[in-house]
């Protein structure tokens, strides 16, 4: 189990040090801002849609390793998904990091590396910030998202 935990930690640190899809997405169709007042994580999430399918996603901002890695993994995992599939992925991810079980027919893929945050409830907000921000972007919510 320690080897698996080490691997997960390595993936999280890699996405923190070299976040994927970092930076503004100029031609984004949707955009939302998120803030975690507890630890100061801030991000803006950008989503580009074509015929209901997410063709591109990016983010910018600053935050802890968990928050940044989660946003990076999110942008990788939602590309090519429909809005509905992205929402189901959000719900499954949220369920599993808050102590529940993932939806059986939803493949979390690399997102599994963040499951360990459920052992640290204060870090769950860091891991889910980008996901709540995605939900707001897809819903065209104008108000910034807060984890409080």
């Amino acid at each position: 189990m320690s080897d698996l935990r080490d691997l997960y930690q390595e993936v999280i640190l890699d996405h923190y040090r070299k976040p994927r899809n970092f930076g503004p997405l100029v031609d984004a169709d949707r955009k939302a801002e998120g803030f975690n007042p507890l630890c100061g994580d801030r991000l803006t999430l950008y989503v580009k849609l074509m015929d209901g399918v997410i063709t591109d996603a990016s983010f910018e901002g600053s935050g802890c390793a968990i928050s940044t890695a989660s946003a990076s993994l999110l942008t990788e995992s939602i590309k090519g998904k429909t809005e509905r599939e992205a929402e189901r992925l959000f719900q499954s991810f949220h369920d599993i990091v808050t102590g529940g079980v993932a939806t059986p027919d939803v493949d979390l893929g690399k997102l599994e590396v963040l499951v360990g945050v459920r052992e640290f409830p204060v870090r769950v907000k860091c891991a889910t910030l980008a996901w709540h921000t995605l939900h707001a972007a897809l819903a065209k919510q104008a108000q910034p998202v807060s984890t409080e």
Side-chain angles (χ1 to χ4, degrees):
M1 185 66 155
S2 179
D3 290 342
L4 186 57
R5 187 170 290 191
D6 290 346
L7 175 62
Y8 283 2
Q9 186 174 8
E10 191 175 311
V11 171
I12 290 168
L13 288 174
D14 180 52
H15 276 267
Y16 171 63
R17 291 179 182 134
K18 295 178 281 187
R20 284 34 159 212
N21 306 301
F22 188 82
L25 187 60
V26 178
D27 57 348
D29 301 305
R30 310 277 173 85
K31 171 183 160 184
E33 295 179 14
F35 176 56
N36 178 354
L38 187 64
C39 66
D41 300 330
R42 287 189 177 276
L43 70 86
T44 302
L45 183 71
Y46 304 90
V47 178
K48 177 145 181 69
L49 293 156
M50 183 176 291
D51 299 324
V53 175
I54 298 168
T55 59
D56 205 358
S58 71
F59 75 102
E60 60 183 344
S62 61
C64 68
I66 297 294
S67 176
T68 302
S70 182
S72 177
L73 288 160
L74 172 146
T75 60
E76 285 189 328
S77 66
I78 64 171
K79 289 181 185 179
K81 296 203 177 338
T82 64
E83 290 180 72
R84 184 171 184 262
E85 290 169 332
E87 287 284 359
R88 291 189 76 228
L89 186 60
F90 159 71
Q91 190 58 56
S92 188
F93 176 77
H94 189 269
D95 288 347
I96 201 163
V97 298
T98 56
V101 293
T103 307
D105 61 336
V106 175
D107 179 19
L108 291 176
K110 288 182 181 180
L111 297 170
E112 292 273 348
V113 301
L114 294 165
V115 170
V117 301
R118 68 179 168 200
E119 295 175 30
F120 308 95
V122 74
R123 302 312 302 260
V124 169
K125 291 180 181 189
C126 302
T128 59
L129 176 63
W131 293 88
H132 287 290
T133 307
L134 169 66
H135 178 72
L138 293 177
K140 298 180 183 176
Q141 181 180 321
Q143 295 291 87
V145 174
S146 174
T147 55
E148 290 302 313

